Amino acid sequence: MASDFDATRKLFHLPDGLIYLDGNSLGPLPLAAVDKVAGMMRDEWGDLLIKGWNAAGWMDFKGLGNRVGRLIGAEPDHVILGDTLSIKVYQALAAGLEMVPERRVILSDTGNFPSDLYMAQGLTGLLKQGYTLKTVAPEDVAGAIDETVAVLMLTQVDYRTGRLHDMASLTRAAHANGAITVWDLAHSAGAIPVDLSGCNADFAVGCTYKYLNGGPGSPAFIYVAPRHADVAKPALSGWLGHEAPFDFDLDYRAHAGIARMRVGTPPVIALKSLEAALDIWDLVEMAEVRARSIELTSLFVDRVEAACPDLTLASPRDPLARGSQVSFAFEHGYAAMQALIARGVIGDFRAPDVMRFGFTPLYTTEKDVLDAVAILAEIMDNRLWDNPEYQTKSAVT
Ligand SMILES: *Cc1c(COP(=O)(O)O)cnc(C)c1O
């Protein structure tokens, strides 16, 4: 398949005069989502009411799981959507710990997204069985995998720097030491090709509102390897993961396969919006998205380094060692990002000093990159960041 990125760009609503380099945080609106969601609300929720569950197939969203699954190298019928990523982290970690009952260490890294670490802390605090969450520097993970580790829980692409973990080799090392892996693909799905099946991954989780463009709060996904799908124990044993939800049994029995990772009622409206996004993803190949992403990120790095000597590259220089984002460190990064946003270039900021830019080939062009660098250079050359109106921090950075 030849991915046509000029064509996919036309399928998004991109406000005039805006250069959007934050699709790694929240993807833009697929134009078709508006009618899809409105139609669902009017014709299905509106007219069918409760009949919609059967007549409009609201409960049957395995197809969407498989469409996400194609992008992350999952076997068919081993990805399910629902809840938020934090919840899916909890489920995967709990199931993983249960599979290695004699061990007490969760190994992660200090580059992980805090919510993943918080969920681990909450779970181990509840279990009260002497679990410890051990975090090491990202570059020390391989050396820290030993026979005390129950679960290796990592986010593949570092949310701040874009640094990429080698999923295949770390999974191999974990397995050689008898540990289970939980991979968070929040900044991988739709950003880089992932081969869960080929890497022999155990569990994986991720969200759909970043690179996948499902919309704010669109449901998360969880993958369970086929060899574990019928044995993984659901810690969040909600009725929709039951073998027969509509039998209304008083006792929980897990459903066969990935469906046991469902918890409660699916977010049908959000799934409709995600469906519109996946219609676009169906038009492209991840290998081609990756090739284009490397062109865009490399161009950005080269041009920023040439034009803005005060910014320090905080992402790996080797494009194969980073995801689809580029970060630059700058002491006044927050204010500089505000100055950029005021001039129509949207990136974001991560404490303490990281200016972060996401590159999303479905709708980001080379012209976007060049125009963004020109505006950034103007801000840096003229110290335009040094303006009190850019110093006040909002709740969401
Ligand atoms: C974005 C992100 C989250 C957010 O979790 P939500 O429950 O969707 O809010 C969690 N983990 C990682 C690694 C992320 O990048």
Side-chain angles (χ1 to χ4, degrees):
M1 182 196 310
S3 308
D4 179 349
F5 298 121
D6 291 332
T8 55
R9 179 176 165 90
K10 296 197 178 83
L11 302 175
F12 290 94
H13 175 71
L14 298 164
D16 283 342
L18 207 73
I19 300 173
Y20 194 63
L21 302 180
D22 211 5
N24 51 312
S25 250
L26 176 68
L29 170 70
L31 288 166
V34 177
D35 283 345
K36 233 187 204 330
V37 171
M40 178 271 156
M41 293 180 84
R42 193 180 50 235
D43 305 335
E44 299 181 9
W45 181 19
D47 288 340
L48 296 173
L49 287 158
I50 190 84
K51 291 183 289 181
W53 288 110
N54 291 319
W58 290 344
M59 208 50 102
D60 181 22
F61 51 92
K62 212 147 87 186
L64 294 188
N66 282 337
R67 289 162 75 187
V68 172
R70 178 182 77 91
L71 302 174
I72 55 175
E75 298 84 353
D77 296 339
H78 283 85
V79 174
I80 197 106
L81 296 156
D83 315 300
T84 76
L85 175 50
S86 303
I87 302 276
K88 282 347 211 184
V89 167
Y90 192 91
Q91 279 186 302
L93 180 59
L97 290 176
E98 192 81 62
M99 292 170 63
V100 199
E102 68 287 359
R103 298 191 186 178
R104 287 291 174 271
V105 176
I106 301 163
L107 178 63
S108 190
D109 70 38
T110 52
N112 206 344
F113 189 78
S115 196
D116 296 37
L117 303 176
Y118 301 162
M119 294 311 278
Q121 289 161 4
L123 174 61
T124 57
L126 180 72
L127 290 173
K128 290 195 178 41
Q129 289 175 20
Y131 284 103
T132 52
L133 170 64
K134 181 173 167 186
T135 50
V136 298
E139 58 276 18
D140 296 335
V141 168
I145 300 173
D146 61 24
E147 293 190 347
T148 64
V149 176
V151 173
L152 175 65
M153 178 184 83
L154 294 172
T155 296
Q156 188 190 15
V157 178
D158 187 300
Y159 75 104
R160 272 189 289 228
T161 65
R163 185 249 337 110
L164 185 58
H165 272 311
D166 183 340
M167 179 183 287
S169 77
L170 289 174
T171 301
R172 216 176 304 120
H175 290 170
N177 283 277
I180 290 283
T181 53
V182 173
W183 285 102
D184 189 327
L185 306 179
H187 299 275
S188 308
I192 57 171
V194 177
D195 186 7
L196 289 175
S197 172
C199 291
N200 222 8
D202 299 289
F203 294 88
V205 295
C207 52
T208 62
Y209 51 80
K210 293 174 179 164
Y211 289 91
L212 294 182
N213 313 312
S218 61
F221 63 84
I222 183 167
Y223 162 84
V224 182
R227 62 189 178 282
H228 303 317
D230 288 327
V231 291
K233 211 169 150 197
L236 300 176
S237 41
W239 73 303
L240 285 187
H242 191 279
E243 184 176 51
F246 287 90
D247 283 0
F248 298 105
D249 278 350
L250 296 186
D251 292 309
Y252 183 81
R253 293 189 312 277
H255 199 289
I258 191 69
R260 64 181 51 199
M261 291 300 167
R262 285 159 61 135
V263 181
T265 304
V268 181
I269 299 170
L271 283 161
K272 276 290 156 193
S273 161
L274 175 60
E275 190 180 310
L278 292 173
D279 287 346
I280 303 176
W281 281 107
D282 286 351
L283 304 173
V284 299
E285 289 294 343
M286 275 316 300
E288 292 166 358
V289 172
R290 177 62 164 161
R292 185 85 185 114
S293 154
I294 287 177
E295 287 171 11
L296 295 171
T297 57
S298 302
L299 178 67
F300 186 74
V301 170
D302 291 350
R303 296 299 173 100
V304 171
E305 288 196 318
C308 309
D310 290 339
L311 302 187
T312 311
L313 183 65
S315 297
R317 187 168 297 281
D318 173 5
L320 299 180
R322 64 177 184 242
S324 200
Q325 65 178 72
V326 171
S327 300
F328 279 93
F330 176 51
E331 189 188 347
H332 306 285
Y334 182 80
M337 184 53 74
Q338 296 312 302
L340 267 175
I341 293 170
R343 288 161 181 79
V345 180
I346 315 277
D348 61 20
F349 174 80
R350 289 292 175 263
D353 61 357
V354 170
M355 300 172 71
R356 191 171 70 153
F357 303 89
F359 296 85
T360 43
L362 293 196
Y363 52 87
T364 307
T365 62
E366 194 176 294
K367 180 175 184 314
D368 289 337
V369 172
L370 299 176
D371 290 351
V373 175
I375 296 170
L376 179 58
E378 188 202 339
I379 291 168
M380 298 305 297
D381 286 347
N382 301 299
R383 293 177 62 98
L384 298 178
W385 48 266
D386 195 8
N387 174 332
E389 82 178 272
Y390 299 141
Q391 316 290 329
T392 338
K393 288 207 178 166
S394 314
V396 176
T397 60

